[in-house]
Amino acid sequence: MSGHGHRTVLHLRFVLPTDGGAGLLEGVRSLLENITPRVQIIEADTAVLDVTGALPYWKRDARGLTELIQMRALALLGLHSAAAVGPNRMLAAMACNLTPPGRRTVIDHSPDAVAVFLRPRPVQELPGVGSKVAATLASYGVHRVGDVADLPPATLQRLLGARAGRTLHERALGHDATIVDQAPTAASISTEHRFTRDELDPAQHRGALLALADDLGTQLRASGQIAAGLTCTIRYADHTGTRRSRTLPEATQHTVLLARTAYAVYESLGLQRARVRSIALRADPCVLTAGRPGNSRWTAAMRSRWRSKPSPTGPAPGTGTLSSTRPL
């Protein structure tokens, strides 16, 4: 499966303990780097490995090496995991989102295998396809990845714009040139809410998002950091998940802007009667405000600017200041 000129990428998603497991991340990194040096930790529970060179070294095929890694993670760290292998990062990530813990999915490099996996998938599962793009495509009868792949690239470019149309067509064909970056990931702060039962109510989802945004804001302010982007990860009752990222309008540490962006990401998913098990928010990359030139003037300006802005849930009675689940 690692034929000449082909890459083999492994995407892993771990089921972390509720207490977070102090020091667990280093244990995961050490375990994975003993398999291959080409490891990228995306989140505390997610890692990507380029195992192209590791396959001949370990004298195993992709499925066998994946089983070995999952077995070691369970035996040494007590971590169950979902895993998927594909010829590139996009396919491996998409397959891993559909794979329950304790199982693995392997997509061969052959065009037929890629098409069998990719063509029936809803177009929303392709990276970069939000609710607006999906609605635009649906209005022209394009609902599946296979429908996108069958369209002429020029048609997609007229519908979505030159660059977006060209990129989407390439992804619909299963092409992705993104490499596994071994450089350390930028600092991030994350928080998660796990429902006591699989939650169907969108109001409960939004309430959890507001609490998570408030928690992120509190952590950012306590650590003297600001965030430039927000990532929302939703896990469902069938152990699958969806992850969407969005760049913030401006780097911030304030709950209001974090909550508004979280709501926007949630709405872009277009969830309908989804049984949600957990929601996580991650602020990244985080930058220390103490190292910012003119930091005191910048902080004062930001406070002045946001003091009169309304809360995502409405202004507090009789005041023009921020309203939040916690005082700012």
Side-chain angles (χ1 to χ4, degrees):
M1 187 171 165
S2 58
H4 179 71
H6 291 306
R7 310 304 301 175
T8 303
V9 178
L10 169 61
H11 193 103
L12 286 165
R13 187 182 72 250
F14 298 99
V15 181
L16 298 180
T18 54
D19 60 2
L24 201 55
L25 180 60
E26 286 307 310
V28 169
R29 183 185 295 277
S30 177
L31 183 149
L32 299 180
E33 289 181 346
N34 281 332
I35 300 295
T36 174
R38 301 188 65 84
V39 176
Q40 181 177 353
I41 304 294
I42 301 177
E43 292 185 14
D45 67 340
T46 308
V48 183
L49 295 75
D50 187 332
V51 296
T52 309
L55 297 177
Y57 177 83
W58 289 93
K59 298 179 181 177
R60 296 170 184 257
D61 61 10
R63 184 176 296 275
L65 186 59
T66 302
E67 290 175 349
L68 173 65
I69 294 171
Q70 289 182 290
M71 182 177 63
R72 287 190 173 187
L74 183 58
L76 300 177
L77 302 174
L79 293 179
H80 292 274
S81 60
V85 178
N88 58 54
R89 286 190 61 167
M90 181 192 75
L91 291 170
M94 290 178 65
C96 190
N97 279 335
L98 301 170
T99 305
R103 305 294 295 274
R104 62 207 61 86
T105 301
V106 178
I107 303 174
D108 202 348
H109 289 86
S110 69
D112 289 342
V114 172
V116 166
F117 168 76
L118 200 54
R119 289 183 65 86
R121 305 309 313 162
V123 70
Q124 296 94 324
E125 293 185 12
L126 284 176
V129 177
S131 57
K132 290 183 180 179
V133 172
T136 299
L137 294 174
S139 66
Y140 290 91
V142 178
H143 302 281
R144 304 289 175 181
V145 175
D147 299 334
V148 178
D150 292 338
L151 284 176
T155 301
L156 277 175
Q157 291 176 0
R158 284 196 297 271
L159 293 176
L160 306 176
R163 182 176 180 181
R166 182 170 58 252
T167 300
L168 185 60
H169 190 261
E170 286 295 308
R171 289 172 176 170
L173 295 175
H175 301 160
D176 177 33
T178 309
I179 64 170
V180 176
D181 186 1
Q182 299 166 253
T185 55
S188 64
I189 294 176
S190 62
T191 183
E192 182 178 16
H193 175 82
R194 298 187 183 185
F195 294 101
T196 54
R197 58 182 177 83
D198 299 333
E199 186 57 65
L200 287 165
D201 187 359
Q204 295 295 326
H205 301 165
R206 290 175 66 88
L209 284 169
L210 180 58
L212 292 173
D214 183 49
D215 187 31
L216 274 186
T218 300
Q219 292 188 59
L220 287 167
R221 292 187 293 275
S223 59
Q225 299 183 83
I226 57 173
L230 199 66
T231 297
C232 179
T233 303
I234 298 181
R235 302 291 182 198
Y236 306 107
D238 60 357
H239 301 289
T240 61
T242 303
R243 179 179 291 116
R244 287 288 187 275
S245 298
R246 182 164 297 192
T247 301
L248 291 162
E250 57 185 306
T252 187
Q253 58 182 197
H254 292 279
T255 297
V256 170
L257 188 54
L258 294 171
R260 285 176 176 167
T261 304
Y263 287 166
V265 174
Y266 174 82
E267 294 298 333
S268 73
L269 297 176
L271 302 181
Q272 296 181 355
R273 304 293 294 171
R275 296 166 58 205
V276 174
R277 181 156 294 177
S278 68
I279 301 177
L281 281 184
R282 186 185 74 209
D284 55 355
C286 298
V287 181
L288 284 171
T289 60
R292 194 182 183 96
N295 179 61
S296 58
R297 292 193 301 273
W298 176 84
T299 302
M302 288 295 289
R303 284 176 178 167
S304 174
R305 177 173 182 177
W306 283 98
R307 189 171 291 117
S308 60
K309 290 202 173 185
S311 164
T313 56
T319 179
T321 57
L322 288 172
S323 174
S324 174
T325 54
R326 298 178 188 171
L328 297 182

